[in-house]
Amino acid sequence: MKVRNFDSKKTLDVITYRLEVLSSKRIRQKLAAGEDVKGYWGTAPTGKPHIGYLVPFVKIAECIAAGIDIQILIADTYGFLVNYDATMEVVERRSQYYSLLITSILRSLGVPESKIWIERESTFATTEAFRGNFLRLCAASTQDDIRSVGLEVATTSMLSPLLCPLYQALSEVHTGCDFQLGGMDQRGMFAYADKLLPRVGHRPVSHLLAPMIPGLKTEKMSSSAPEDTKIMFFDSAEAVRAKIAEADVSPTEPTRNALLACLEHIVFPVYALGIMAPGTLPEAALAGGVAKRYESYKDLEEDFFRGLVDVDSLRSLVADTLNHILEPVRQEYATSKEWQAVDRFAYGTPDGH
Amino acid sequence: MKVRNFDSKKTLDVITYRLEVLSSKRIRQKLAAGEDVKGYWGTAPTGKPHIGYLVPFVKIAECIAAGIDIQILIADTYGFLVNYDATMEVVERRSQYYSLLITSILRSLGVPESKIWIERESTFATTEAFRGNFLRLCAASTQDDIRSVGLEVATTSMLSPLLCPLYQALSEVHTGCDFQLGGMDQRGMFAYADKLLPRVGHRPVSHLLAPMIPGLKTEKMSSSAPEDTKIMFFDSAEAVRAKIAEADVSPTEPTRNALLACLEHIVFPVYALGIMAPGTLPEAALAGGVAKRYESYKDLEEDFFRGLVDVDSLRSLVADTLNHILEPVRQEYATSKEWQAVDRFAYGTPDGH
């Protein structure tokens, strides 16, 4: 057994902090029994990721720093089924692109190379064991079970997206992990897995939801939304700064506020991870003109909603942190002929061109 | 290349005689090029077959007698998906039951052991090549494409039957055959395959529809219909005789007439196959009391609709022929402990008990 960095309580806290806990039974049982827990986060290789993905990546980095193994699953079959206009060859290159990007970002977030654990869904989805489980799950699912998963599946006119919930549910069985980390948009997927997997003889895993970063001028940061509403991983340092300078800052609604979401789920955790030089701890000018160092995001948020915080200082904090994380990633891309070639095949429009 | 028994024209006739030809292009092209053609007929191992299955079996026997290879496909995965309340283990035993039954019947229809070619769908459905085709076909199919296949698929509330059309369509690719023989209820399935397979890069096969035997007192002979509307393979000789004695005989509607359908698609072809002793050629008492030997079914049908044929004589012809075919099958079952054991596991209620 691996030496754990913290006791059970602290380990559970590290895993769940800032997340919505849908169920934590399996994590708690294993920790209580003195066993290790393993988690995973899956992503379908579709469009190019935006910096909303930093929320789970930061959480993954935190877990790994605390000695908890987290597997990254590139859901390639899922990606093909949900995005039925791309060929398998394109999805394969997008999987490579995702894999290169995720590795680069995790390194930038201080995750040691040896702890970066990325696998493809297809490595288990091609096995006979998976085939049996897949067919059994098909036979146990009503079409309504599938449609209740979420809007994308409920409203599709194509066949293939109806199979996506089965792939995601079975990833819980075939990764052998104890919890799945997802985004808030995975609620329906998780409910489907909780309801259906036991019917085909599988034990539920724990489910945790990470918040989504709002768009800079919209409710949701989305790949398909206009450029000025999202920050992409290969935006230049100037572009990041300019976009954040223009981001809407709602003084009353935290859920509509990309700046605060970045501070809570990226900036403060990145400081806590110790990957930025000391002295960059969140320091913001109060309205009165006096600088104040915030030890916790909650303190900052409180002052913000009381109108005491200088918003431009916050914009700087966010832009600096994002650029600190993104700079090594940009540099790696710029010097990697392999990555650039993958990019051209996967997306046609290379990054930075 | 195999020596063919007949020329191209005659070979095409043997294959298509009494069937509805939806498309014969691939058969004609291969025959014109001097190549062999291979066909297949698939069946999903669900409930116990009734004697309606003799129609394709007789056609298969005719083709094989003419030197045309016909593969029988036990569609086990399809059977599991369509019949989602049976476990995989039960479907596996039902596949064995079907295999034993079909072998026994084909032998009884004079097919040499060496020409009986039965395979399981799962032998190719577990391959990586199939998986790729399956995913591509999923991604190319709308839900409406699937629903247009037929009532069973259109009205199901479950997910798994939606996948059945894909399995059947891909069986055309993965058996490597040139034509598929189906029942009249396969029209939608064939239209789906014709429409969708070319979109994922596969060449259409030819499609042939065999007529369905009407029920003895209903429009369709069906496994789920009452006992007196169908003849089962293990009905005793007396039961066969008694059921046929009570069968409705519509004097005006040939499609509602199980007796005529049996004569056209089973009795006359069985005589032509030469598997019953000479002297049993269709001889029927005319209304005037004079026996007449019919060389073709069409002559008999014509006299029947003119009211010239003694119906009881026809009942005897049908019952005699069915019993001639069924008797060796009954005997084989009675002496096969293996078959009986498979039956108990597959259906719970063994034949003849």
Side-chain angles (χ1 to χ4, degrees), chain B residues 46-49 90 93-94 97 223 227 230 232 234-235 333 339-353:
Chain B
T46 53
K48 287 190 177 183
V90 165
R93 298 302 176 100
R94 289 182 179 179
Y97 181 93
S223 296
E227 268 302 309
K230 64 192 174 188
M232 301 302 288
F234 291 102
D235 282 348
Y333 180 87
W339 193 348
Q340 292 164 28
V342 165
D343 190 7
R344 271 192 298 275
F345 195 101
Y347 295 106
T349 52
D351 282 313
H353 295 272

Side-chain angles (χ1 to χ4, degrees), chain B residues 23 32 61 69 76 106 111 134 149 170 173 196 205 222 232 238 241 269 277 282 289 296 298 346:
Chain B
S23 54
D69 286 335
D76 46 3
L106 288 179
V111 179
F134 176 79
V149 159
L170 290 174
V173 176
L196 267 298
V205 303
S222 161
M232 301 302 288
E238 300 71 42
R241 211 165 292 282
S296 88
K298 282 294 165 207

Side-chain angles (χ1 to χ4, degrees), chain B residues 8-270:
Chain B
S8 297
K9 169 75 177 67
K10 182 77 193 292
T11 302
L12 185 64
D13 284 351
V14 171
I15 295 172
T16 59
Y17 189 46
R18 300 187 314 276
L19 304 182
E20 181 180 340
V21 178
L22 285 187
S23 54
S24 61
K25 188 174 166 192
R26 180 139 148 196
I27 299 176
R28 284 183 289 103
Q29 282 179 338
K30 290 199 89 171
L31 290 176
E35 295 173 36
D36 283 336
V37 291
K38 288 187 303 182
Y40 81 102
W41 173 82
T43 185
T46 53
K48 287 190 177 183
H50 49 70
I51 59 99
Y53 284 69
L54 282 174
V55 177
F57 294 151
V58 164
K59 171 53 70 180
I60 290 165
E62 282 180 300
C63 284
I64 291 173
I68 303 149
D69 286 335
I70 304 282
Q71 175 178 353
I72 313 267
L73 186 72
I74 309 276
D76 46 3
T77 307
Y78 184 118
F80 176 76
L81 291 171
V82 77
N83 208 18
Y84 37 81
D85 50 352
T87 65
M88 283 186 172
E89 292 68 30
V90 165
V91 172
E92 163 59 22
R93 298 302 176 100
R94 289 182 179 179
S95 297
Q96 293 173 3
Y97 181 93
Y98 270 58
S99 206
L100 289 162
L101 179 67
I102 293 167
T103 303
S104 188
I105 294 165
L106 288 179
R107 260 201 307 252
S108 181
L109 289 172
V111 179
E113 193 83 28
S114 65
K115 302 300 283 177
I116 299 175
W117 174 20
I118 302 180
E119 283 189 17
R120 300 285 184 86
E121 182 186 45
S122 55
T123 58
F124 57 72
T126 51
T127 62
E128 188 52 27
F130 183 92
R131 192 183 108 90
N133 279 326
F134 176 79
L135 295 174
R136 269 186 280 265
L137 197 51
C138 274
S141 300
T142 66
Q143 294 171 37
D144 282 347
D145 286 334
I146 300 292
R147 293 218 176 76
S148 67
V149 159
L151 207 62
E152 192 168 33
V153 165
T155 57
T156 183
S157 64
M158 301 301 291
L159 174 65
S160 59
L162 298 188
L163 303 185
C164 287
L166 287 83
Y167 274 81
Q168 186 161 347
L170 290 174
S171 70
E172 299 189 353
V173 176
H174 290 266
T175 58
C177 288
D178 304 304
F179 66 91
Q180 185 179 176
L181 168 65
M184 291 290 185
D185 54 353
Q186 300 299 298
R187 204 178 292 274
M189 282 284 185
F190 289 170
Y192 170 81
D194 272 339
K195 179 178 173 187
L196 267 298
L197 286 180
R199 290 197 196 158
V200 292
H202 298 293
R203 190 174 145 228
V205 303
S206 293
H207 287 137
L208 307 169
L209 299 180
M212 323 282 280
I213 298 285
L216 302 177
K217 296 168 184 292
T218 50
E219 271 193 56
K220 193 182 158 199
M221 191 171 288
S222 161
S223 296
S224 48
E227 268 302 309
D228 63 342
T229 68
K230 64 192 174 188
I231 295 169
M232 301 302 288
F233 280 106
F234 291 102
D235 282 348
S236 68
E238 300 71 42
V240 169
R241 211 165 292 282
K243 283 179 178 177
I244 287 180
E246 296 294 321
D248 291 346
V249 176
S250 163
T252 51
E253 291 177 76
T255 56
R256 289 282 309 266
N257 200 318
L259 213 61
L260 291 186
C262 286
L263 283 160
E264 181 173 10
H265 298 291
I266 301 171
V267 176
F268 272 78
V270 158

Side-chain angles (χ1 to χ4, degrees), chain A residues 284-292 294 303-304 306-311 313:
Chain A
L286 281 179
V290 187
K292 176 171 173 187
Y294 292 94
D303 281 1
F304 175 84
R306 288 163 65 199
L308 300 177
V309 181
D310 172 44
V311 173
S313 303

Side-chain angles (χ1 to χ4, degrees), chain A residues 142-163:
Chain A
T142 66
Q143 294 171 36
D144 281 347
D145 286 333
I146 300 294
R147 292 216 177 77
S148 67
V149 160
L151 207 61
E152 192 167 33
V153 165
T155 57
T156 182
S157 65
M158 300 302 289
L159 175 64
S160 60
L162 298 188
L163 303 185

